[in-house]
Amino acid sequence: MEMKSCHTIWECPACRNVTKQFMEVAKRIDLDPNIVNRLQVPDRSVIISIPVRMDNGDVKIFAGYRVQHNDVLGPFKGGIRYHPEVTIGETAALAMLMTWKCALVGLPLGGAKGGVTVDPHELSRHELQHLTRRFTAELVNIIGPEKDIPAPDMGTNEQVMAWLMDTYSQQKGHVVPGVVTGKPLVVGGSQGRSEATGRGVVYTVVKALEKRGSGIGKETTFALHGFGNVGANAAKTIEEMGGTVVAVSTSKGGIYNPSGLNYDDLVACHREHGNFSCFRGGDVVTNEELLALPCDVLIPAAVSGVIHEKNADRVQAKIVAEGANGPMTIEADRILNDKGVFVIPDILANSGGVIVSYFEWVQDLQNFFWEIDEVLMQLKRIITHAFDEVYGIAEREKISMRTAALIKGIRKISDAMLARGLYP
Ligand code: GLU
């Protein structure tokens, strides 16, 4: 079987990584070669030049993307990322992961991703709003509740989703809450969506601890690489469940205290400075040092590719739960598995976000909203069921959790494609 997607416009390390993963699994499960060819490339990739009038009067052009990988199971679904390193290739890689993720956890949704190459912290609120509205207007014909439903990702938040929803609704002439998930509650968001990814990560870690014969307690130590939506909510959940967070970081660096870090103190410092430079309750560590700290659980919850061939060997954690998408390379994955580290792969560990996005979409379509207890109960049910299934495959076939998760997701997509057949 020939590897296709990465010698074209999608070529980049992230795309090579996910394509390689896909090809390995395709070979292992003897996937139909026609299906392999189809799934290596996304259904649709859109590149948009977005003109934005900046506060100084100049018009600046930003590059924006939406990649729709596969919709055999339902409308495309996936976040929108605002980050200076976003490329069409990375967006395509992340779209492919969304396809496997939704299939793996049993959602009737496909896989997509979007992004704009921009540092959102360098824009004023006004500029950010204009960027989001123009980007949405350019996408209006290819998104929608029955076509493609964006959501937050790195660098975007509830406010950005509210602007997206408003722009789409203005263009349609009526309110369309179901066009996007991760919205504020007041405009049709779901209870529990903002903390869903971080919570879901911890639910999968608890399952992994149980399989290893322990539970979560004060002596269970966690290091969190990243303190955005995923890292911060994971920290909160860990504290609630009685575990101990010993290290956290932002892109500027981190702090470490083997006796534990208090969540409220972390949030207070982070809120004021956007980093932990003001935090006095721990020692300063670099991000590289954080990844190698002695702890039970490491949660990489920031950018992709941070654990690689050169530093994987230094990881001391017994469990690594991928809060971020693609935080380790294939080579690092192999090194960690050989060392006996239990890796919970991204498409399982961070699926809580899209699971509650699915609930939000369902609630928007039905105009009937759930209580938080209902959301959290259903989230836990779906993610722990997916964990058990993946664990079962991994045990039975003596393979890693990642390979098992990919097998389950990819097989489901392939079965659905074969059942539907090729049009025309
Ligand atoms: N951006 C998140 C992810 O990578 C959430 C996607 C969604 O909710 O649609 O899973």
Side-chain angles (χ1 to χ4, degrees):
M1 276 181 281
E2 182 202 1
M3 226 167 96
K4 265 218 184 96
S5 67
C6 284
H7 55 76
T8 60
I9 58 165
W10 298 284
E11 163 65 33
C12 73
C15 193
R16 268 200 304 280
N17 208 47
V18 296
T19 308
K20 223 157 129 192
Q21 266 178 13
F22 168 58
M23 293 304 286
E24 281 182 17
V25 169
K27 212 162 138 201
R28 182 184 279 273
I29 62 174
D30 205 14
L31 210 64
D32 182 319
N34 292 320
I35 299 280
V36 175
N37 284 340
R38 183 70 188 107
L39 287 174
Q40 276 192 68
V41 285
D43 284 6
R44 182 193 265 149
S45 301
V46 179
I47 303 181
I48 298 158
S49 307
I50 312 162
V52 179
R53 187 168 306 279
M54 307 301 279
D55 293 346
N56 67 3
D58 291 349
V59 174
K60 205 170 160 186
I61 313 294
F62 295 89
Y65 315 98
R66 185 74 181 167
V67 178
Q68 299 174 331
H69 176 255
N70 181 280
D71 68 344
V72 71
L73 297 176
F76 297 106
K77 185 86 191 81
I80 292 186
R81 179 172 286 204
Y82 287 177
H83 191 272
E85 273 148 41
V86 164
T87 61
I88 185 77
E90 184 198 59
T91 311
L94 294 167
M96 185 190 267
L97 286 180
M98 285 307 300
T99 303
W100 313 150
K101 192 185 300 184
C102 291
L104 166 66
V105 295
L107 308 180
L109 295 167
K113 202 75 168 199
V116 178
T117 314
V118 61
D119 183 349
H121 306 293
E122 282 177 3
L123 298 192
S124 67
R125 180 183 162 92
H126 185 254
E127 291 165 343
L128 201 62
Q129 178 168 176
H130 280 271
L131 172 78
T132 303
R133 286 187 181 279
R134 182 61 187 257
F135 183 42
T136 308
E138 300 285 345
L139 293 176
V140 81
N141 290 320
I142 62 160
I143 59 172
E146 62 299 304
K147 290 186 187 169
D148 180 358
I149 308 125
D153 198 84
M154 203 189 299
T156 56
N157 54 25
E158 283 191 355
Q159 179 59 74
V160 171
M161 298 306 118
W163 289 328
L164 194 158
M165 178 270 209
D166 184 66
T167 306
Y168 185 86
S169 300
Q170 298 296 345
Q171 300 244 344
K172 293 286 162 185
H174 56 97
V175 187
V176 191
V179 64
V180 69
T181 58
K183 302 177 292 297
L185 276 179
V186 69
V187 289
S190 175
Q191 297 284 352
R193 174 61 185 87
S194 58
E195 67 260 38
T197 315
R199 263 192 179 271
V201 174
V202 182
Y203 289 161
T204 64
V205 170
V206 170
K207 288 294 297 182
L209 287 165
E210 279 170 21
K211 298 285 181 199
R212 297 172 73 93
S214 61
I216 184 166
K218 207 170 164 21
E219 67 296 340
T220 323
T221 53
F222 291 76
L224 306 180
H225 178 262
F227 203 74
N229 176 278
V230 182
N233 281 298
K236 188 171 172 210
T237 311
I238 291 162
E239 194 170 283
E240 261 173 46
M241 291 189 168
T244 302
V245 175
V246 293
V248 292
S249 69
T250 68
S251 57
K252 304 270 180 298
I255 41 157
Y256 171 55
N257 184 341
S259 319
L261 301 162
N262 176 273
Y263 174 75
D264 289 335
D265 296 345
L266 290 173
V267 170
C269 173
H270 188 262
R271 189 171 295 142
E272 205 170 312
H273 298 267
N275 58 51
F276 296 111
S277 56
C278 60
F279 198 85
R280 295 288 160 259
D283 297 331
V284 173
V285 285
T286 63
N287 271 302
E288 275 300 310
E289 286 165 345
L290 183 139
L291 295 171
L293 286 173
C295 61
D296 295 306
V297 185
L298 171 65
I299 303 182
V303 283
S304 64
V306 290
I307 307 177
H308 43 77
E309 221 174 350
K310 299 207 169 65
N311 63 6
D313 206 35
R314 292 203 283 275
V315 170
Q316 294 191 58
K318 297 172 196 74
I319 296 172
V320 177
E322 295 186 324
N325 288 310
M328 70 176 76
T329 61
I330 281 204
E331 295 74 23
D333 192 35
R334 227 164 260 144
I335 295 170
L336 292 183
N337 274 296
D338 290 348
K339 267 166 64 117
V341 177
F342 188 90
V343 178
I344 312 172
D346 46 8
I347 58 171
L348 175 61
N350 72 29
S351 63
V354 73
I355 292 172
V356 178
S357 273
Y358 164 59
F359 301 159
E360 180 173 333
W361 178 65
V362 168
Q363 292 171 74
D364 288 339
L365 296 184
Q366 299 185 335
N367 287 303
F368 181 78
F369 290 86
W370 310 355
E371 303 283 340
I372 181 74
D373 292 352
E374 175 76 9
V375 170
L376 295 183
M377 188 268 284
Q378 295 287 0
L379 165 63
K380 196 169 188 174
R381 181 183 65 79
I382 292 181
I383 205 165
T384 53
H385 178 70
F387 183 99
D388 285 334
E389 287 197 322
V390 172
Y391 189 83
I393 300 173
E395 286 286 285
R396 232 183 2 263
E397 305 203 11
K398 310 228 171 321
I399 52 179
S400 69
M401 286 288 281
R402 185 184 316 278
T403 307
L406 287 166
I407 286 180
K408 187 167 156 47
I410 292 168
R411 201 172 260 149
K412 178 147 188 197
I413 296 292
S414 162
D415 289 350
M417 287 170 77
L418 291 171
R420 283 180 57 170
L422 183 65
Y423 175 84

